[in-house]
Amino acid sequence: MSPCLPLQIPKLLRGSNTVDFRYASLLLLGVFISAISQAMLKKAALKTYGSRIGEYLNPLVISAYALFVCTTFLSIFAYKGIPLSMGPLLEATSYIYVTLFGITIFHEKMTRRKWVSLLLILLGIGLYSFGAAV
């Protein structure tokens, strides 16, 4: 390989489709930002406002929805480099982020049922990823 050639990013073969990890990372970033937006909306919902319109037209809510719009464009761009079948798998990681935010920011208690549900999500992601590598 010539030193003048650009660095090749590894691609994961999945059937006839290839996955560029740059695009997968971009989708994961969008999912993470989306989870932040959800936390912002929950934080705003916990506040008391003087009017009904104030509940929707405040900086926290407007910023959260602006982030949602940005993540939509990130997702659209990311799907250029990943197969459609992988999108829901990567988007399922949002449950992990939302759970972590719930515990750390909102001090929510994790029940046994919630832990089992999160474990099943992680198991599903792991099984799909392992199946993709085989």
Side-chain angles (χ1 to χ4, degrees):
M1 183 161 136
S2 168
C4 296
L5 292 176
L7 177 65
Q8 295 293 317
I9 302 296
K11 293 186 177 188
L12 176 66
L13 294 177
R14 180 119 178 102
S16 62
N17 298 325
T18 59
V19 177
D20 189 330
F21 285 107
R22 293 176 294 187
Y23 290 101
S25 299
L26 198 60
L27 185 60
L28 285 172
L29 175 66
V31 170
F32 182 73
I33 293 171
S34 178
I36 291 171
S37 299
Q38 291 177 41
M40 291 169 66
L41 288 174
K42 183 168 184 172
K43 199 78 152 157
L46 295 174
K47 293 181 181 180
T48 305
Y49 298 93
S51 68
R52 197 79 150 139
I53 194 120
E55 293 177 11
Y56 300 100
L57 295 180
N58 65 68
L60 197 56
V61 170
I62 292 170
S63 299
Y65 282 116
L67 284 175
F68 275 131
V69 170
C70 292
T71 61
T72 300
F73 288 115
L74 278 175
S75 296
I76 292 168
F77 185 71
Y79 275 111
K80 291 172 80 173
I82 63 170
L84 288 175
S85 62
M86 183 175 258
L89 166 77
L90 296 176
E91 290 175 7
T93 60
S94 69
Y95 295 108
I96 299 165
Y97 307 136
V98 170
T99 301
L100 291 175
F101 291 158
I103 293 169
T104 58
I105 297 172
F106 301 107
H107 308 289
E108 295 176 351
K109 301 293 181 210
M110 286 293 288
T111 63
R112 178 180 286 147
R113 186 176 189 175
K114 288 180 183 179
W115 281 115
V116 169
S117 300
L118 189 60
L119 181 64
L120 288 172
I121 291 168
L122 291 173
L123 185 63
I125 292 170
L127 287 173
Y128 184 88
S129 298
F130 179 73
V134 173

